[in-house]
Amino acid sequence: MRKQRGFTLIELVLVITILGILAAFAVPRFVSLSANARTAVVNSLAGSLRSAGALAHSVSLATGAGASSSISMEGATVTMVEYYPAGTVAGIGTALADVTGFTSSYSGSTATFTPTGGGTSCQVTYTAAAANAAPTVTATVTGTGCT
């Protein structure tokens, strides 16, 4: 009787073939996950902007501050417009406090947050409140920049 010590060549070829087939199906799934994660991050920042705006609005109303005055949130001064944070660094930029992983740009009453390395088709836009209206937060998650 002869003892077998290891795998035959056919067994090794079969295992490598099966692993190759599994990898062919798994790799596209992992690539898709990164686009989904980027989309989720953008949507999460949109929710954070809404929350920061609502919290600043509540503080403004509770303290009796004027419609276009400044309030203090956790020791930071937030510039307000119509009882909501302004679309500036001193407004929503201060109320939000942490935008790690995003590039911020401010123009007039609008703040735009784009994931670092992302395109304009993957961003969040905050437009300051107008008279008798809440601010507008828009998440854009379409095109090749995000998906």
Side-chain angles (χ1 to χ4, degrees), residues 104-126:
S104 309
S105 64
Y106 302 89
S107 175
S109 63
T110 303
T112 304
F113 303 91
T114 307
T116 305
T120 57
S121 62
C122 186
Q123 66 184 12
V124 181
T125 305
Y126 174 92

PDB file of all heavy atoms in Angstrom, residues 104-126:
ATOM      1  N   SER A 104     -15.309  72.216   1.600  1.00  0.00           N
ATOM      2  CA  SER A 104     -16.387  73.197   1.737  1.00  0.00           C
ATOM      3  C   SER A 104     -16.109  74.403   0.859  1.00  0.00           C
ATOM      4  O   SER A 104     -14.974  74.856   0.752  1.00  0.00           O
ATOM      5  CB  SER A 104     -16.486  73.673   3.183  1.00  0.00           C
ATOM      6  OG  SER A 104     -16.557  72.588   4.055  1.00  0.00           O
ATOM      7  N   SER A 105     -17.175  74.931   0.255  1.00  0.00           N
ATOM      8  CA  SER A 105     -17.061  76.185  -0.482  1.00  0.00           C
ATOM      9  C   SER A 105     -18.306  77.013  -0.173  1.00  0.00           C
ATOM     10  O   SER A 105     -19.399  76.468  -0.003  1.00  0.00           O
ATOM     11  CB  SER A 105     -16.912  75.950  -1.980  1.00  0.00           C
ATOM     12  OG  SER A 105     -18.067  75.328  -2.509  1.00  0.00           O
ATOM     13  N   TYR A 106     -18.115  78.328  -0.092  1.00  0.00           N
ATOM     14  CA  TYR A 106     -19.198  79.227   0.291  1.00  0.00           C
ATOM     15  C   TYR A 106     -19.308  80.329  -0.751  1.00  0.00           C
ATOM     16  O   TYR A 106     -18.319  80.914  -1.150  1.00  0.00           O
ATOM     17  CB  TYR A 106     -18.932  79.824   1.676  1.00  0.00           C
ATOM     18  CG  TYR A 106     -18.776  78.767   2.746  1.00  0.00           C
ATOM     19  CD1 TYR A 106     -17.530  78.215   3.042  1.00  0.00           C
ATOM     20  CD2 TYR A 106     -19.878  78.309   3.445  1.00  0.00           C
ATOM     21  CE1 TYR A 106     -17.393  77.238   4.004  1.00  0.00           C
ATOM     22  CE2 TYR A 106     -19.756  77.334   4.415  1.00  0.00           C
ATOM     23  CZ  TYR A 106     -18.515  76.802   4.692  1.00  0.00           C
ATOM     24  OH  TYR A 106     -18.397  75.817   5.649  1.00  0.00           O
ATOM     25  N   SER A 107     -20.542  80.586  -1.197  1.00  0.00           N
ATOM     26  CA  SER A 107     -20.781  81.618  -2.184  1.00  0.00           C
ATOM     27  C   SER A 107     -22.113  82.287  -1.852  1.00  0.00           C
ATOM     28  O   SER A 107     -23.162  81.648  -1.957  1.00  0.00           O
ATOM     29  CB  SER A 107     -20.823  81.013  -3.586  1.00  0.00           C
ATOM     30  OG  SER A 107     -21.164  81.996  -4.532  1.00  0.00           O
ATOM     31  N   GLY A 108     -22.053  83.538  -1.452  1.00  0.00           N
ATOM     32  CA  GLY A 108     -23.276  84.249  -1.084  1.00  0.00           C
ATOM     33  C   GLY A 108     -23.940  83.589   0.108  1.00  0.00           C
ATOM     34  O   GLY A 108     -23.360  83.470   1.174  1.00  0.00           O
ATOM     35  N   SER A 109     -25.169  83.120  -0.065  1.00  0.00           N
ATOM     36  CA  SER A 109     -25.898  82.475   1.024  1.00  0.00           C
ATOM     37  C   SER A 109     -25.938  80.960   0.865  1.00  0.00           C
ATOM     38  O   SER A 109     -26.748  80.283   1.477  1.00  0.00           O
ATOM     39  CB  SER A 109     -27.328  83.028   1.084  1.00  0.00           C
ATOM     40  OG  SER A 109     -28.021  82.703  -0.108  1.00  0.00           O
ATOM     41  N   THR A 110     -25.034  80.425   0.046  1.00  0.00           N
ATOM     42  CA  THR A 110     -25.024  78.987  -0.231  1.00  0.00           C
ATOM     43  C   THR A 110     -23.692  78.365   0.155  1.00  0.00           C
ATOM     44  O   THR A 110     -22.631  78.888  -0.177  1.00  0.00           O
ATOM     45  CB  THR A 110     -25.292  78.721  -1.731  1.00  0.00           C
ATOM     46  OG1 THR A 110     -26.547  79.315  -2.073  1.00  0.00           O
ATOM     47  CG2 THR A 110     -25.337  77.245  -2.038  1.00  0.00           C
ATOM     48  N   ALA A 111     -23.776  77.239   0.856  1.00  0.00           N
ATOM     49  CA  ALA A 111     -22.597  76.458   1.219  1.00  0.00           C
ATOM     50  C   ALA A 111     -22.671  75.128   0.491  1.00  0.00           C
ATOM     51  O   ALA A 111     -23.727  74.495   0.458  1.00  0.00           O
ATOM     52  CB  ALA A 111     -22.544  76.239   2.722  1.00  0.00           C
ATOM     53  N   THR A 112     -21.556  74.702  -0.084  1.00  0.00           N
ATOM     54  CA  THR A 112     -21.513  73.438  -0.813  1.00  0.00           C
ATOM     55  C   THR A 112     -20.432  72.560  -0.202  1.00  0.00           C
ATOM     56  O   THR A 112     -19.314  73.008   0.030  1.00  0.00           O
ATOM     57  CB  THR A 112     -21.211  73.676  -2.306  1.00  0.00           C
ATOM     58  OG1 THR A 112     -22.195  74.575  -2.825  1.00  0.00           O
ATOM     59  CG2 THR A 112     -21.248  72.385  -3.089  1.00  0.00           C
ATOM     60  N   PHE A 113     -20.779  71.305   0.050  1.00  0.00           N
ATOM     61  CA  PHE A 113     -19.861  70.340   0.645  1.00  0.00           C
ATOM     62  C   PHE A 113     -19.711  69.165  -0.315  1.00  0.00           C
ATOM     63  O   PHE A 113     -20.684  68.504  -0.648  1.00  0.00           O
ATOM     64  CB  PHE A 113     -20.397  69.853   1.999  1.00  0.00           C
ATOM     65  CG  PHE A 113     -20.646  70.971   2.971  1.00  0.00           C
ATOM     66  CD1 PHE A 113     -21.886  71.586   3.037  1.00  0.00           C
ATOM     67  CD2 PHE A 113     -19.638  71.416   3.806  1.00  0.00           C
ATOM     68  CE1 PHE A 113     -22.128  72.618   3.924  1.00  0.00           C
ATOM     69  CE2 PHE A 113     -19.867  72.456   4.694  1.00  0.00           C
ATOM     70  CZ  PHE A 113     -21.112  73.061   4.760  1.00  0.00           C
ATOM     71  N   THR A 114     -18.475  68.928  -0.756  1.00  0.00           N
ATOM     72  CA  THR A 114     -18.177  67.857  -1.706  1.00  0.00           C
ATOM     73  C   THR A 114     -17.200  66.890  -1.046  1.00  0.00           C
ATOM     74  O   THR A 114     -16.213  67.326  -0.453  1.00  0.00           O
ATOM     75  CB  THR A 114     -17.525  68.441  -2.980  1.00  0.00           C
ATOM     76  OG1 THR A 114     -18.368  69.479  -3.478  1.00  0.00           O
ATOM     77  CG2 THR A 114     -17.350  67.386  -4.042  1.00  0.00           C
ATOM     78  N   PRO A 115     -17.448  65.566  -1.131  1.00  0.00           N
ATOM     79  CA  PRO A 115     -16.488  64.625  -0.559  1.00  0.00           C
ATOM     80  C   PRO A 115     -15.111  64.833  -1.186  1.00  0.00           C
ATOM     81  O   PRO A 115     -15.009  65.087  -2.382  1.00  0.00           O
ATOM     82  CB  PRO A 115     -17.048  63.253  -0.931  1.00  0.00           C
ATOM     83  CG  PRO A 115     -18.462  63.480  -1.295  1.00  0.00           C
ATOM     84  CD  PRO A 115     -18.566  64.883  -1.788  1.00  0.00           C
ATOM     85  N   THR A 116     -14.088  64.756  -0.381  1.00  0.00           N
ATOM     86  CA  THR A 116     -12.733  64.934  -0.879  1.00  0.00           C
ATOM     87  C   THR A 116     -12.482  63.939  -2.003  1.00  0.00           C
ATOM     88  O   THR A 116     -12.666  62.743  -1.840  1.00  0.00           O
ATOM     89  CB  THR A 116     -11.710  64.718   0.254  1.00  0.00           C
ATOM     90  OG1 THR A 116     -12.046  65.593   1.327  1.00  0.00           O
ATOM     91  CG2 THR A 116     -10.301  65.006  -0.211  1.00  0.00           C
ATOM     92  N   GLY A 117     -12.123  64.463  -3.167  1.00  0.00           N
ATOM     93  CA  GLY A 117     -11.897  63.622  -4.332  1.00  0.00           C
ATOM     94  C   GLY A 117     -13.155  63.355  -5.142  1.00  0.00           C
ATOM     95  O   GLY A 117     -13.094  62.700  -6.166  1.00  0.00           O
ATOM     96  N   GLY A 118     -14.305  63.868  -4.692  1.00  0.00           N
ATOM     97  CA  GLY A 118     -15.570  63.651  -5.403  1.00  0.00           C
ATOM     98  C   GLY A 118     -15.851  64.776  -6.383  1.00  0.00           C
ATOM     99  O   GLY A 118     -15.267  65.847  -6.309  1.00  0.00           O
ATOM    100  N   GLY A 119     -16.765  64.535  -7.304  1.00  0.00           N
ATOM    101  CA  GLY A 119     -17.137  65.539  -8.294  1.00  0.00           C
ATOM    102  C   GLY A 119     -18.397  66.277  -7.887  1.00  0.00           C
ATOM    103  O   GLY A 119     -18.960  66.040  -6.824  1.00  0.00           O
ATOM    104  N   THR A 120     -18.842  67.184  -8.757  1.00  0.00           N
ATOM    105  CA  THR A 120     -20.031  67.985  -8.459  1.00  0.00           C
ATOM    106  C   THR A 120     -21.309  67.156  -8.508  1.00  0.00           C
ATOM    107  O   THR A 120     -22.361  67.630  -8.095  1.00  0.00           O
ATOM    108  CB  THR A 120     -20.166  69.158  -9.453  1.00  0.00           C
ATOM    109  OG1 THR A 120     -20.196  68.630 -10.775  1.00  0.00           O
ATOM    110  CG2 THR A 120     -19.035  70.143  -9.288  1.00  0.00           C
ATOM    111  N   SER A 121     -21.242  65.939  -9.010  1.00  0.00           N
ATOM    112  CA  SER A 121     -22.432  65.092  -9.019  1.00  0.00           C
ATOM    113  C   SER A 121     -22.561  64.318  -7.710  1.00  0.00           C
ATOM    114  O   SER A 121     -23.410  63.446  -7.580  1.00  0.00           O
ATOM    115  CB  SER A 121     -22.393  64.130 -10.197  1.00  0.00           C
ATOM    116  OG  SER A 121     -21.281  63.285 -10.067  1.00  0.00           O
ATOM    117  N   CYS A 122     -21.723  64.646  -6.742  1.00  0.00           N
ATOM    118  CA  CYS A 122     -21.758  63.996  -5.428  1.00  0.00           C
ATOM    119  C   CYS A 122     -21.471  65.075  -4.393  1.00  0.00           C
ATOM    120  O   CYS A 122     -20.325  65.280  -3.997  1.00  0.00           O
ATOM    121  CB  CYS A 122     -20.698  62.897  -5.390  1.00  0.00           C
ATOM    122  SG  CYS A 122     -20.724  61.898  -3.906  1.00  0.00           S
ATOM    123  N   GLN A 123     -22.520  65.809  -3.969  1.00  0.00           N
ATOM    124  CA  GLN A 123     -22.316  66.921  -3.052  1.00  0.00           C
ATOM    125  C   GLN A 123     -23.589  67.243  -2.292  1.00  0.00           C
ATOM    126  O   GLN A 123     -24.660  66.759  -2.620  1.00  0.00           O
ATOM    127  CB  GLN A 123     -21.848  68.160  -3.808  1.00  0.00           C
ATOM    128  CG  GLN A 123     -22.881  68.720  -4.763  1.00  0.00           C
ATOM    129  CD  GLN A 123     -22.354  69.891  -5.562  1.00  0.00           C
ATOM    130  OE1 GLN A 123     -21.161  70.163  -5.574  1.00  0.00           O
ATOM    131  NE2 GLN A 123     -23.231  70.592  -6.248  1.00  0.00           N
ATOM    132  N   VAL A 124     -23.435  68.077  -1.264  1.00  0.00           N
ATOM    133  CA  VAL A 124     -24.568  68.569  -0.487  1.00  0.00           C
ATOM    134  C   VAL A 124     -24.526  70.087  -0.543  1.00  0.00           C
ATOM    135  O   VAL A 124     -23.471  70.701  -0.373  1.00  0.00           O
ATOM    136  CB  VAL A 124     -24.491  68.110   0.981  1.00  0.00           C
ATOM    137  CG1 VAL A 124     -25.699  68.608   1.764  1.00  0.00           C
ATOM    138  CG2 VAL A 124     -24.386  66.602   1.074  1.00  0.00           C
ATOM    139  N   THR A 125     -25.696  70.693  -0.784  1.00  0.00           N
ATOM    140  CA  THR A 125     -25.794  72.142  -0.859  1.00  0.00           C
ATOM    141  C   THR A 125     -26.743  72.649   0.216  1.00  0.00           C
ATOM    142  O   THR A 125     -27.849  72.119   0.373  1.00  0.00           O
ATOM    143  CB  THR A 125     -26.320  72.582  -2.245  1.00  0.00           C
ATOM    144  OG1 THR A 125     -25.468  72.022  -3.243  1.00  0.00           O
ATOM    145  CG2 THR A 125     -26.330  74.083  -2.383  1.00  0.00           C
ATOM    146  N   TYR A 126     -26.298  73.653   0.977  1.00  0.00           N
ATOM    147  CA  TYR A 126     -27.111  74.305   2.002  1.00  0.00           C
ATOM    148  C   TYR A 126     -27.351  75.737   1.540  1.00  0.00           C
ATOM    149  O   TYR A 126     -26.409  76.484   1.323  1.00  0.00           O
ATOM    150  CB  TYR A 126     -26.375  74.306   3.345  1.00  0.00           C
ATOM    151  CG  TYR A 126     -27.068  75.084   4.442  1.00  0.00           C
ATOM    152  CD1 TYR A 126     -27.948  74.450   5.307  1.00  0.00           C
ATOM    153  CD2 TYR A 126     -26.841  76.442   4.620  1.00  0.00           C
ATOM    154  CE1 TYR A 126     -28.593  75.155   6.319  1.00  0.00           C
ATOM    155  CE2 TYR A 126     -27.473  77.150   5.625  1.00  0.00           C
ATOM    156  CZ  TYR A 126     -28.351  76.505   6.469  1.00  0.00           C
ATOM    157  OH  TYR A 126     -28.985  77.196   7.472  1.00  0.00           O
TER     158      TYR A 126
END
